Amino acid sequence: MPVFKLGLIINPYAGIGGALALKGSDGAAVRQKALAMGAEQKAPKRAAEALELLAPLKDRIGIVTAAGDMGQRIAEQLGFETEVIYQPPEQTEAKDSQKLAELLMEQHVDLILFAGGDGTARNICDVVGETLPVLGIPAGCKIHSGVYTVTPKAAGKVVEKLVKGELLSLREADVMDIDEEQFRQGQVRARRFGEMRVPAELQYVQAVKMGGRESDELVLADIAAHVIESMNDELYIMGSGSTVASIMEELGLDNTLLGVDLVHNEELIGQDMTAEALLSAVKGKAAKLVITLIGGQGHLFGRGNQQLSPEVIRAVGRDHILVVATKTKLQALDGRPLIADTGDAELDKALSGPITVITGFHDQVIYPVASPGSE
């Protein structure tokens, strides 16, 4: 089964008016005019440039997309395992990109890779926001948004790094667009429409020492600030380890360093809890699990936190697991994946694959999780 689940959206009409000096491709009338003038659909070809770099890794990638030129045709031509989840009309519109984005979110893909321009980015941002990582393949007339790579091949390179498990930060990037009517009159007025999260090269932007080494104390404070900022009216299972302990310290709560505690509305409601007590507390309720890895080994589950039983983990759900770790701790693994060893083979398999790790304040990376014996 493929390790990396890649959502693919191609706007077949992106950039169709560029070569014909139509200054954009927004709107059915412009597209029809461009086609009547003999315009060539270049977005599928630009998407292919990105995907061709991933061909050597196609046994580790599963592409989820729409039929025809919105993704299926190019993916299958390049030999990727492809799952079609949407049948678009012959001439696609903005709503088709949005519908496909909605379906990809339901499929819990690891990344949405899309080909288009600023209009396409806006459409996808309206649906996805900052919910999951995205990456744009530049294929439109207007490329003002920060969610696009510099070239289609650059997009392929970034995805290649993700599939190989290399450490990439996630950052918020602006989604911009300009008014095409004003653009056609020679006026460029770009507006910001939102943000999406994109994978970027690993950079130490904040909380660093001279020489580029992280200051553990500052980084742990940053991680704690990120988690606390995101806390809402849910139950939070706080796992063992010093990284999670730093969050409890910032909350001003007693912490069981080698145990598991339960927090609600930033108050301690359960301390050093058993698996049975945890399951009783969270079953059928909205809950998140905050957990770190064992340094040097990489275990998330199965080493020193058996209170997090398979039943508890299932009750929480993979999408509600918050993994916290410093980049130094992750880099010490030398590329080895995080390990899920819950004692339940099916659950270990379900937990495998890329996961987001909180590494600082508004700083996250994608890192692979594997089960014992997995490829």
Side-chain angles (χ1 to χ4, degrees):
M1 190 173 182
V3 172
F4 197 91
K5 201 171 183 179
L6 180 65
L8 177 63
I9 301 175
I10 300 174
N11 175 0
Y13 298 101
I16 198 170
L20 301 174
L22 296 178
K23 297 182 174 61
S25 56
D26 293 351
V30 174
R31 288 195 294 273
Q32 289 170 2
K33 181 179 180 180
L35 291 171
M37 294 172 67
E40 180 185 2
Q41 293 176 241
K42 294 185 177 181
K45 292 183 178 180
R46 292 180 75 80
E49 287 183 50
L51 293 176
E52 282 169 355
L53 288 177
L54 301 173
L57 301 172
K58 60 189 175 184
D59 60 331
R60 297 168 59 180
I61 300 171
I63 291 181
V64 187
T65 188
D69 286 340
M70 282 196 77
Q72 178 191 16
R73 182 174 63 82
I74 292 299
E76 290 186 347
Q77 282 180 358
L78 293 173
F80 287 93
E81 179 182 325
T82 307
E83 179 183 358
V84 175
I85 60 171
Y86 180 58
Q87 294 286 337
E90 184 175 348
Q91 182 161 318
T92 59
E93 302 286 349
K95 63 183 180 182
D96 296 299
S97 294
Q98 292 177 319
K99 181 61 178 178
L100 180 53
E102 289 177 5
L103 295 173
L104 290 174
M105 290 178 66
E106 293 174 4
Q107 291 285 319
H108 303 290
V109 297
D110 298 308
L111 174 80
I112 292 180
L113 180 68
F114 66 93
D118 286 332
T120 309
R122 279 181 60 186
N123 296 333
I124 294 172
C125 183
D126 286 343
V127 175
V128 176
E130 299 175 51
T131 305
L132 54 79
V134 304
L135 188 65
I137 301 168
C141 301
K142 304 166 295 174
I143 306 290
H144 292 77
S145 298
V147 297
Y148 287 101
T149 55
V150 291
T151 65
K153 289 183 178 179
K157 285 289 187 183
V158 173
V159 179
E160 178 185 44
K161 289 176 179 291
L162 292 174
V163 175
K164 289 182 175 180
E166 295 185 30
L167 200 58
L168 295 183
S169 290
L170 289 176
R171 64 175 177 85
E172 286 81 22
D174 287 338
V175 174
M176 308 289 291
D177 200 3
I178 64 173
D179 186 305
E180 283 194 6
E181 289 303 319
Q182 291 183 341
F183 186 35
R184 293 184 181 109
Q185 296 170 16
Q187 298 179 359
V188 179
R189 292 183 180 176
R191 284 180 54 201
R192 180 182 178 278
F193 287 88
E195 290 183 339
M196 291 195 286
R197 290 192 302 152
V198 299
E201 293 290 340
L202 177 61
Q203 296 180 9
Y204 291 96
V205 177
Q206 54 186 343
V208 297
K209 287 183 179 178
M210 295 295 290
R213 290 186 60 83
E214 292 180 304
S215 165
D216 285 345
E217 183 179 350
L218 292 176
V219 173
L220 291 175
D222 282 350
I223 291 171
H226 180 106
V227 173
I228 293 169
E229 180 189 66
S230 68
M231 281 183 161
N232 50 35
D233 186 24
E234 294 180 297
L235 295 168
Y236 284 81
I237 301 173
M238 308 300 290
S240 58
S242 58
T243 307
V244 178
S246 69
I247 302 171
M248 295 291 280
E249 182 178 353
E250 288 291 326
L251 287 168
L253 302 177
D254 291 336
N255 173 71
T256 309
L257 182 63
L258 300 179
V260 178
D261 302 324
L262 191 63
V263 171
H264 183 238
N265 288 332
E266 300 188 15
E267 294 185 2
L268 186 65
I269 63 171
Q271 195 164 20
D272 201 9
M273 299 183 71
T274 65
E276 184 179 358
L278 282 171
L279 183 60
S280 177
V282 304
K283 194 170 184 179
K285 298 178 182 177
K288 285 188 169 69
L289 167 60
V290 183
I291 189 172
T292 191
L293 56 125
I294 294 181
Q297 297 180 9
H299 284 81
L300 285 178
F301 300 105
R303 298 294 185 276
N305 57 9
Q306 280 78 9
Q307 306 95 318
L308 301 176
S309 66
E311 292 77 18
V312 169
I313 297 168
R314 283 196 172 93
V316 173
R318 190 185 195 274
D319 292 342
H320 299 285
I321 297 173
L322 305 180
V323 181
V324 294
T326 65
K327 290 172 183 173
T328 299
K329 196 181 238 186
L330 292 174
Q331 287 177 317
L333 295 175
D334 293 325
R336 300 191 307 276
L338 304 178
I339 300 297
D341 185 16
T342 65
D344 183 317
E346 285 301 313
L347 178 58
D348 291 341
K349 188 176 180 181
L351 291 169
S352 297
I355 198 166
T356 299
V357 181
I358 298 167
T359 53
F361 185 66
H362 292 179
D363 189 5
Q364 302 170 77
V365 302
I366 298 175
Y367 201 87
V369 178
S371 60
S374 63
E375 295 295 325

